[in-house]
Amino acid sequence: GAPRAGEDRRLLCRVQRAQVAARPVRGVPLLRGALVLAGFGRRRGLLPPLASCRTLFSSRRGARPLDHHDRNREGAQHVECLPMGPRGYPTAFQPGARRLEGGGRPSYIVMPMLVAALRLVAQQLTTRRIAARLGEMTSLVAAQAAALGFEVPPRHAPGIVGLRTGAGMPPAAELVRRLAALKPRPVLVSERLGVIRVSPHLYNTPDDLRCLLDGLREVVRPASRL
């Protein structure tokens, strides 16, 4: 809704792990209507390459950057290294959203990969189809895990579900270790705050899901000592 009189509301929409959060952020000087597309690994819903991030900002001038460095200063877009004048380096920021960029330089290998990933998602796969497929997989995992005695949340994002160990089960970290040690097909999941994090994606097959569920049945057996 519209901000009340005197309210300083800034909206941050972050898209990561196929989850969306849209809420005011208190004390963070971000532009109103900011969409952050972040990719720091291989399991992100927007299929980005490793260590890529793009942010779309609404049109607004005068935003104050969080990160002060030489690459977002006026003139840095034209030279390899900012020239130092009699009064030191330039202090004025670049116009527009470029002043909000992080330090360092973009990878010219990663950027074309990021463009290709966004085209694939926007023009062919679509987020609706991705979410529907991932929801089918995580719902299956949640139902089967609950039948094994795991605690699963009644609601979760389409692409990720957490499995909390039930009564009498070893800790989640131990089960993750046992899954990774299974032969001949280890199962690779992670532990987060005492919960097994399962986040399949489009490249995972029905056979992968069967392997995961069979692995969970194996490692929760009382006699399992992998």
Side-chain angles (χ1 to χ4, degrees):
R4 296 187 296 271
E7 181 183 11
D8 185 16
R9 174 177 290 193
R10 296 176 173 89
L11 183 67
L12 168 66
C13 301
R14 179 167 182 167
V15 182
Q16 185 174 351
R17 294 196 184 106
Q19 301 179 74
V20 179
R23 55 185 172 83
V25 180
R26 181 176 300 174
V28 179
L30 291 173
L31 286 176
R32 188 187 308 275
L35 174 63
V36 180
L37 310 179
F40 301 99
R42 295 174 293 175
R43 289 178 173 263
R44 299 297 181 258
L46 293 175
L47 306 177
L50 182 67
S52 61
C53 180
R54 272 295 177 264
T55 308
L56 309 178
F57 289 104
S58 59
S59 185
R60 180 176 170 183
R61 296 183 179 180
R64 291 177 299 170
L66 290 174
D67 193 4
H68 289 227
H69 52 83
D70 66 319
R71 302 312 308 165
N72 60 359
R73 305 292 180 173
E74 178 58 44
Q77 66 270 41
H78 305 304
V79 296
E80 179 71 20
C81 181
L82 275 176
M84 178 183 289
R87 297 187 178 182
Y89 290 109
T91 57
F93 291 105
Q94 295 188 41
R98 295 199 65 172
R99 65 177 57 205
L100 305 174
E101 291 184 352
R105 298 178 181 274
S107 168
Y108 294 103
I109 296 176
V110 170
M111 292 304 104
M113 297 165 61
L114 178 61
V115 171
L118 291 175
R119 284 176 177 164
L120 178 64
V121 170
Q123 299 175 4
Q124 298 182 41
L125 298 176
T126 74
T127 55
R128 184 186 300 273
R129 292 171 60 191
I130 293 175
R133 176 58 185 144
L134 300 187
E136 293 174 359
M137 291 192 283
T138 53
S139 295
L140 174 63
V141 171
Q144 295 291 323
L148 290 174
F150 287 92
E151 298 179 17
V152 298
R155 299 177 60 187
H156 56 82
I160 185 171
V161 62
L163 311 179
R164 188 176 297 278
T165 54
M169 291 185 183
E174 172 61 18
L175 293 183
V176 167
R177 186 194 68 79
R178 294 182 185 182
L179 287 168
L182 288 174
K183 304 294 183 183
R185 292 186 60 182
V187 177
L188 303 180
V189 290
S190 59
E191 180 267 339
R192 297 286 191 275
L193 301 175
V195 176
I196 299 176
R197 174 184 179 273
V198 180
S199 55
H201 210 353
L202 298 180
Y203 43 72
N204 289 118
T205 66
D207 189 51
D208 291 335
L209 294 185
R210 284 193 295 270
C211 185
L212 166 65
L213 295 171
D214 289 344
L216 288 175
R217 295 186 187 95
E218 173 70 20
V219 299
V220 298
R221 291 190 310 178
S224 179
R225 292 293 183 272
L226 295 175

